[in-house]
Each structure stands twice: as structure tokens, then as C-alpha cells.
Amino acid sequence: MPTIIHAADFHIGAKFDFLPSARAADAVNLQFSALQAMVNYAASSAVDAVLIAGDLFDTPDIRPQIASAVFSVLGKCPCPVFIAPGNHDYYHIGSVYSTQLLPQNIHVFRERFLEPVSLADGKTVIWGAAFQDTKASIPLDASLDSSKINICLMHGELGGSGGYNPISESAVLGSRFDYIALGHNHRFSGVFRISQTALSCPGCFAATASNELGVKGYLAGHIEKGDIALTLRSSEAVCFEEVQLPMTGINSDAMLMETLFPLLPEEQEHTCCCVRLTGTRMYEPDLAALSHSLRNIFFHAQVIDESAAMQDLYRYEKDDGLRGTVTRDFISRIEENQKDEQACAKLTLALEYALAALDGRELD
């Protein structure tokens, strides 16, 4: 019953150029510290193998200095590290996988067909293959010994159509692997089964784009016949979260902050937080001050205002018709509740809805 780590899509070498330069440098440093933390976990948890399902690097021609630093960290892992190059770091004659002297514990799969490597326990076989270009189609054909635990490691996507090693359900059914460790998709797929074969894609190890939301990390746990127990662990590298805040009913910066803060992510040290303002706004918020406040809390933050300005609520105040009567009534009630901010906000919103109904309009 081997204990493994299954990780993918580190994209080390990504420039994070959508962040301010200082924060981009910090994000790169976090990638390396998270990689070291994963190696430390492997050591403390007596992991039998670390499986990296492609895109360890962001480019096939990564700078040798960066590759050396990565291999140095992985070389300290007390167990074998298996790498199946993907579409971003595909294996070729001039790649760092070919030109650099690798630590003895690192095994890089280099062929476009599955090859076996046995673990020291004598009961587990890791089968792996490599991309040799930006596209690949790797068959799941392998002569498995059913008495052993057979794990397939490759970059690829179940049912994909983009040429990134698409894998069909029928191929999985016929393969009879105990576990298929995938990479490529940047969102955690969960651990699921197709007949007797379990599969998973852990998502990316660290977010490198603002639309890669949620916790990023790697899978850790044990594998045995008929029992796959893997848990997603946070890598504590950069992650992204988005909060949508409807501006309807908010009539001051103080009220905005009071409404927003309970919605913010609990993890803040490594989080890039995007706050998106939506709906109909009743006033003009101080976006610069809000952004400044959030950047004092999070690794990085931005505010995107997609709200629409409310029409002048008092435009019918002097009108002789029903709209004027309704407006003057609400103005009077709002003035009576000046000391109650929430009551004023509710009355203002009620007036907006009343006028929209009289005008035959729909509100956002």
C-alpha cells in the first residue's frame, strides 16, 4: 500500500506579469517555498513516491538556473520523484530534462508510450510517458501484472478535444490501472472511478492567472487495490478568490465596508482577492481607498466596478402626478430617519423600485 503525492501544473518560470513587479517577485518566491514545503511533507509522512503529472515548468526552454534550483529542491526528497513532461515543458533533445544532470531520485519519462518503473516495495509499478511536443496522444496500452498496484502517470485530460492527450472512458475501462494520475486541467477534478480504475487531476499547484480561483495544492494519501484515499492539501502558494458585492441598498463607504468584510476569504496571506461591484449603486464609492484597504490585508487585491449609477431619485419631486406624490412622500420619510443609516438605505431602495414600477422599468 504505497503512500504517494500526486501534483501537477506547477508552471515554474511563469512571470506573474499581471501583478505589480514586487508582488510578482514574491509570487515566484512563494512557488519555491511551496515546493520545498511539499518535499518536507513527503519526508515527514514517509511518502513512497512523488508523482508530477506534467508542466513542472512553464516553458520547454526554461532557464537552466531555474531548472537547477527546482531539481535541487526535488533532489532532497527522500523518495523517488517521477516526472511526466506535459505540453508546457515537453521533453526534447535540448530540454533541461535532457541536458541537466538530474539527482538520482528523479526519474523523467521520455517516451510517447507508457514505460514501467518499479518501486522499492516490489509491489507497485509506476507507468509513465512524456509529451514530446505541444500536443500528444498517448495510448493507455500496458502489460499489467494484476498482482501489483499499477499507477499511470501522464499529462492529459479525460474526454478532451484539444489535442492535449485526450483520454476516452473506454480506454480507461480497458486499461485496468488501479490509479491514473493526470495533469493539465488547472481545476481539481476530485477523485473518481471508472469501473475499477480511479482517476484524478489535482489542478494547478499554484495559480498563475487571475481566473484560476480556489485552493491550489496537491493530492496526498495511499493507494491499494480497490481503496484510493487521497486528500487535496493546500500548497500555500498564490491563489485567487473573487467576491461579488451587489451595491443595491448600500449608500456609504462605511456601509460598503461593513457589508463586504464578512464576505472576504479567510485565507489572506497568499490570496489575490478581486472584489467585483455589481448591481445599481446609490452613491459613488471611494474605490482607491477600498483598494488600498484590501491590499493591506491580502497578498494583492483589486476592485472592479461593474455597477450602474442609480437614476436621480428626486427627479419627480416637483411633478404634479403620481410620481411626484410618491417621491415627496419618500423624501419626507427619509428625512425623518436621517440618523438611521439602514432605514434610509431601505427607504431609498424602496423609492427606486416604486419609480421603476411607475416607469415600467426593470432594475438590475
Side-chain angles (χ1 to χ4, degrees):
M1 183 179 69
T3 299
I4 69 161
I5 283 176
H6 170 199
D9 296 277
F10 292 71
H11 289 278
I12 292 174
K15 296 180 179 178
F16 296 93
D17 51 11
F18 51 89
L19 294 173
S21 57
R23 292 279 81 181
D26 291 339
V28 170
N29 290 335
L30 272 177
Q31 277 185 312
F32 276 90
S33 61
L35 179 66
Q36 181 63 65
M38 185 187 78
V39 168
N40 294 344
Y41 176 81
S44 65
S45 303
V47 167
D48 297 298
V50 173
L51 313 179
I52 298 178
D55 290 357
L56 174 59
F57 300 112
D58 194 52
T59 169
D61 300 311
I62 192 72
R63 287 169 51 200
Q65 298 92 326
I66 295 176
S68 293
V70 170
F71 293 145
S72 176
V73 173
L74 292 175
K76 294 181 175 66
C77 196
C79 67
V81 176
F82 296 93
I83 302 173
N87 61 296
H88 274 260
D89 62 348
Y90 60 83
Y91 178 82
H92 62 98
I93 195 65
S95 72
V96 292
Y97 294 132
S98 175
T99 59
Q100 292 214 5
L101 183 64
L102 301 177
Q104 289 186 346
N105 68 318
I106 295 180
H107 181 90
V108 178
F109 292 102
R110 303 183 177 196
E111 301 295 338
R112 280 191 167 184
F113 52 85
L114 292 173
E115 294 183 300
V117 179
S118 295
L119 293 187
D121 65 3
K123 301 176 182 178
T124 307
V125 182
I126 310 297
W127 296 79
F131 274 58
Q132 293 181 352
D133 205 335
T134 56
K135 300 290 179 72
S137 180
I138 302 169
L140 282 178
D141 302 335
S143 299
L144 306 183
D145 181 345
S146 60
S147 69
K148 296 185 178 181
I149 295 174
N150 292 281
I151 299 173
C152 175
L153 173 65
M154 62 167 61
H155 200 70
E157 51 185 345
L158 185 67
S161 58
Y164 301 110
N165 191 29
I167 301 167
S168 68
E169 289 193 19
S170 60
V172 174
L173 280 168
S175 74
R176 298 190 175 276
F177 279 105
D178 296 292
Y179 181 62
I180 299 180
L182 296 173
H184 185 63
N185 290 323
H186 285 199
R187 185 183 294 273
F188 175 41
S189 67
V191 180
F192 59 98
R193 284 189 174 275
I194 297 178
S195 187
Q196 63 183 346
T197 300
L199 306 87
S200 187
C201 178
C204 52
F205 184 81
T208 56
S210 58
N211 62 346
E212 295 172 353
L213 303 178
V215 174
K216 303 303 173 188
Y218 56 91
L219 289 166
H222 70 264
I223 294 178
E224 59 181 314
K225 295 284 185 183
D227 181 19
I228 309 296
L230 297 172
T231 302
L232 186 69
R233 290 180 54 86
S234 172
S235 65
E236 297 187 356
V238 169
C239 64
F240 288 82
E241 298 288 354
E242 181 173 301
V243 176
Q244 292 202 11
L245 180 64
M247 291 294 288
T248 306
I250 298 175
N251 64 0
S252 69
D253 285 327
M255 191 173 183
L256 187 153
M257 298 294 271
E258 183 181 340
T259 307
L260 173 62
F261 270 79
L263 304 177
L264 295 177
E266 292 183 7
E267 164 56 41
Q268 298 169 346
E269 185 179 358
H270 304 142
T271 301
C272 296
C273 182
C274 173
V275 174
R276 197 176 297 273
L277 307 182
T278 63
T280 303
R281 64 180 182 273
M282 299 164 60
Y283 80 109
E284 294 302 319
D286 188 339
L287 300 182
L290 177 59
S291 296
H292 179 75
S293 296
L294 293 173
R295 286 173 185 171
N296 285 332
I297 299 172
F298 291 97
F299 181 83
H300 183 65
Q302 64 173 332
V303 179
I304 299 175
D305 186 10
E306 295 180 348
S307 63
M310 183 179 285
Q311 293 191 42
D312 178 12
L313 282 181
Y314 298 166
R315 60 191 179 277
Y316 296 123
E317 182 180 4
K318 297 181 180 179
D319 193 281
D320 292 332
L322 180 58
R323 293 178 179 81
T325 301
V326 170
T327 299
R328 289 188 291 273
D329 177 59
F330 272 96
I331 289 174
S332 175
R333 293 160 66 185
I334 290 170
E335 289 176 348
E336 290 173 0
N337 290 273
Q338 282 299 314
K339 294 183 179 181
D340 188 338
E341 191 176 76
Q342 289 192 345
C344 286
K346 290 179 180 179
L347 288 167
T348 302
L349 184 60
L351 174 57
E352 173 70 8
Y353 274 100
L355 293 179
L358 291 172
D359 291 340
R361 294 182 290 109
E362 289 188 4
L363 291 180
D364 292 336

